[in-house]
Amino acid sequence: MIESPFLKIAADVLQTMPKQQAHVDEIARSAISRNMNMGLDFETLKTKINSALSSTVKRKSGSQFSRVLSKGGKEKVGPFRKGLYRLKKIRTKKPSPPILVITDKAFLAKGGEYAVASELMFREFNVSIMVVDKGVDLVAEKNNKYFNIQVKTASNNVNSWVFTIRNDSFVTNLNGQTHYALVARDESSNIFFIIPSVQIKTYLDTGVLYSNSKSTTINLKISRAPDRKNWFLGNNNLNHFMGAFHIIQ
């Protein structure tokens, strides 16, 4: 905040100068030429501006101005060029993108399907979206080969995402051509995990996942490590499945 009228004059003049810096003599001359001198003559105006600038740059914080270093000078130590001042560069943080909060799970699920369909099309798959969900949301074709894709989307819950698969649909569609695309929605971005259905069957057989004859669903809880680089299903690292659209072949 500029409380002195002479600092206001200096700031207005310096904003028009190359590198936003100038000597007090030049600042005073420019102010007079622009009728900003408050009726003062050159010597008086120069003295007032120099006094205000000299005082404000001595502050530890809050000054909009700084002195200009001489050649070989060091920041905050000097030496400085006498009578030469500049405006400090104000660094502003880029605003973070707004976080989209989806309260209706139907929109979350359908958004995940279209996100996966888009990624597949970028990889030259011809994608069809199923009208009726029978455990397969998308059918993807490439080079006359067809693949079933079941999409599950979940929101972040303290660095963990829980995906629910219906047990009967899983059993019906269990084969080498069926893949699960798990979409971990993280604020305004998506992280994709592509896991073959046969791999999920292996997780069930080895106790990584649990399901019995009375269970109607299979729950997969994916967690992100504090380093934000590693992803786990239980103790199993899932990094090799992250973004692994290439395994659909």
Side-chain angles (χ1 to χ4, degrees):
M1 182 177 180
I2 299 175
E3 62 277 355
S4 166
F6 300 105
L7 293 181
K8 179 66 168 63
I9 292 171
D12 290 343
V13 170
L14 288 174
Q15 285 176 356
T16 67
M17 295 292 183
K19 298 183 180 181
Q20 294 190 332
Q21 69 180 39
H23 192 276
V24 288
D25 288 0
E26 192 175 2
I27 295 172
R29 289 194 188 95
S30 178
I32 291 172
S33 69
R34 296 164 61 183
N35 295 318
M36 298 166 57
N37 56 320
M38 299 188 298
L40 301 175
D41 60 59
F42 171 76
E43 288 296 334
T44 302
L45 180 63
K46 181 185 76 170
T47 300
K48 294 285 188 183
I49 292 174
N50 188 57
S51 177
L53 288 171
S54 177
S55 177
T56 192
V57 296
K58 293 177 182 177
R59 295 179 182 177
K60 292 183 179 180
S61 62
S63 177
Q64 186 181 350
F65 306 88
S66 65
R67 292 176 291 178
V68 178
L69 286 170
S70 298
K71 187 176 181 180
K74 296 182 180 180
E75 193 69 29
K76 297 182 180 180
V77 178
F80 300 96
R81 297 173 66 179
K82 187 175 180 180
L84 195 63
Y85 297 90
R86 65 177 177 85
L87 285 174
K88 286 183 179 179
K89 293 181 180 179
I90 301 175
R91 297 179 181 178
T92 57
K93 292 184 178 180
K94 292 183 179 179
S96 300
I99 298 174
L100 301 178
V101 178
I102 302 175
T103 57
D104 191 326
K105 290 185 178 181
F107 286 96
L108 183 69
K110 189 57 67 175
E113 290 178 20
Y114 278 98
V116 172
S118 177
E119 292 294 327
L120 288 168
M121 285 188 285
F122 284 135
R123 292 163 174 80
E124 299 184 346
F125 283 89
N126 193 7
V127 181
S128 298
I129 298 177
M130 299 296 97
V131 177
V132 179
D133 185 356
K134 288 286 187 177
V136 174
D137 292 313
L138 311 172
V139 173
E141 178 273 330
K142 186 175 184 179
N143 299 327
N144 293 318
K145 292 183 180 180
Y146 291 83
F147 306 91
N148 298 327
I149 312 295
Q150 177 69 5
V151 182
K152 295 295 179 181
T153 308
S155 297
N156 188 349
N157 182 16
V158 195
N159 283 321
S160 65
W161 291 257
V162 178
F163 303 90
T164 302
I165 301 172
R166 283 170 42 201
N167 207 3
D168 57 347
S169 297
F170 175 76
V171 173
T172 300
N173 296 287
L174 177 59
N175 59 64
Q177 302 304 106
T178 299
H179 296 73
Y180 283 81
L182 308 181
V183 184
R185 183 72 179 169
D186 189 26
E187 295 182 352
S188 299
S189 61
N190 300 318
I191 300 98
F192 301 95
F193 296 88
I194 309 302
I195 306 178
S197 61
V198 291
Q199 179 63 51
I200 293 177
K201 179 65 166 59
T202 299
Y203 286 145
L204 288 166
D205 292 342
T206 57
V208 175
L209 294 173
Y210 176 77
S211 179
N212 57 36
S213 58
K214 295 181 180 180
S215 299
T216 59
T217 60
I218 302 168
N219 293 323
L220 294 87
K221 182 178 181 180
I222 295 179
S223 301
R224 180 170 59 190
D227 63 8
R228 300 179 69 88
K229 296 179 180 179
N230 290 288
W231 299 78
F232 294 91
L233 176 64
N235 293 322
N236 292 262
N237 191 294
L238 290 184
N239 285 14
H240 53 294
F241 290 121
M242 186 169 62
F245 286 93
H246 63 276
I247 69 175
I248 304 175
Q249 60 181 345

